[in-house]
Amino acid sequence: MIVAETNRLLISKFTLKDAPFFLELVNSPIWIKYIGDRKTKTIKEAEERIETGHLKSYKTHGFGFYKLLLKAENNKPIGTCGLIKRDTLEYVDVGFAMLPNYESLGLAHEASIEIIKLAKNVFKLVKIIAITTPDNDSSIKLLKKLGLIYKKKVTPFEDEEELMLFTKTL
């Protein structure tokens, strides 16, 4: 189901049929470096993550992470962008990730603009946040370009890695 569209992208809800793409995405080098190895190594594990993550979030919160489909390549899935409400953070988190061949093309920016519009206009959020590792220069640059402002360092996960927290009032 398409939730938004940009000049170059369709933004669509994930389904269990997206497991092969999701498996490729979560095992890409940049994902593993900056987001972490989620130990998703099979189609079945990818389906389980989509079910317990994406599909559950759509049902519980009305939003979640969405797949990004590139119009110029016959709607090929090339990344993800969306919103997540984490138990360990006060506000809804915006995030994004792209397959390696589609990084640094402005596609995450294009998708994030639409996701932020949905956050404000459809989901009626008043504030969003984003978290990233201090060495993820590309994400930091994109978050600033989207108008998010660095606030503080946080350790929201069990691995106790210190992350940078950015915020934006909508």
Side-chain angles (χ1 to χ4, degrees):
M1 177 181 150
I2 304 298
V3 296
E5 184 173 351
T6 71
N7 287 338
R8 298 183 288 171
L9 299 168
L10 295 175
I11 302 172
S12 176
K13 287 185 175 181
F14 274 92
T15 70
L16 294 179
K17 293 177 185 174
D18 296 310
F21 159 68
F22 186 72
L23 182 64
E24 179 184 7
L25 182 65
V26 301
N27 286 291
S28 65
I30 296 293
W31 182 291
I32 289 172
K33 180 177 181 179
Y34 293 120
I35 299 171
D37 186 350
R38 299 296 190 246
K39 310 293 187 228
T40 305
K41 304 300 178 195
T42 67
I43 297 292
K44 183 169 178 35
E45 289 171 340
E47 288 173 342
E48 289 169 1
R49 288 219 30 226
I50 290 170
E51 192 164 3
T52 60
H54 302 71
L55 302 183
K56 182 179 178 186
S57 183
Y58 301 151
K59 189 178 222 178
T60 304
H61 302 292
F63 54 76
F65 275 97
Y66 305 101
K67 67 183 169 192
L68 305 178
L69 306 168
L70 188 60
K71 293 178 187 177
E73 293 189 23
N74 203 24
N75 297 334
K76 176 184 178 181
I78 52 109
T80 187
C81 187
L83 302 164
I84 183 170
K85 178 59 184 105
R86 302 179 194 276
D87 293 338
T88 55
L89 296 168
E90 183 177 359
Y91 296 100
V92 173
D93 183 1
V94 63
F96 40 81
M98 309 298 283
L99 289 175
N101 291 345
Y102 301 94
E103 294 171 358
S104 302
L105 300 175
L107 294 163
H109 179 256
E110 192 172 312
S112 295
I113 288 171
E114 287 304 310
I115 295 298
I116 292 170
K117 284 181 191 174
L118 288 173
K120 179 179 181 179
N121 300 327
V122 176
F123 305 121
K124 305 299 183 196
L125 302 178
V126 294
K127 185 182 239 184
I128 57 168
I129 61 167
I131 50 175
T132 188
T133 58
D135 62 338
N136 192 341
D137 296 332
S138 295
S139 284
I140 293 167
K141 181 180 174 185
L142 176 52
L143 294 173
K144 289 179 178 178
K145 189 174 183 180
L146 292 167
L148 282 91
I149 298 165
Y150 172 73
K151 286 294 180 192
K152 63 183 177 179
K153 293 194 175 171
V154 295
T155 52
F157 306 118
E158 291 177 7
D159 65 8
E160 297 189 18
E161 181 178 12
E162 193 171 68
L163 303 175
M164 298 174 72
L165 177 91
F166 291 78
T167 67
K168 178 178 178 130
T169 302
L170 303 179

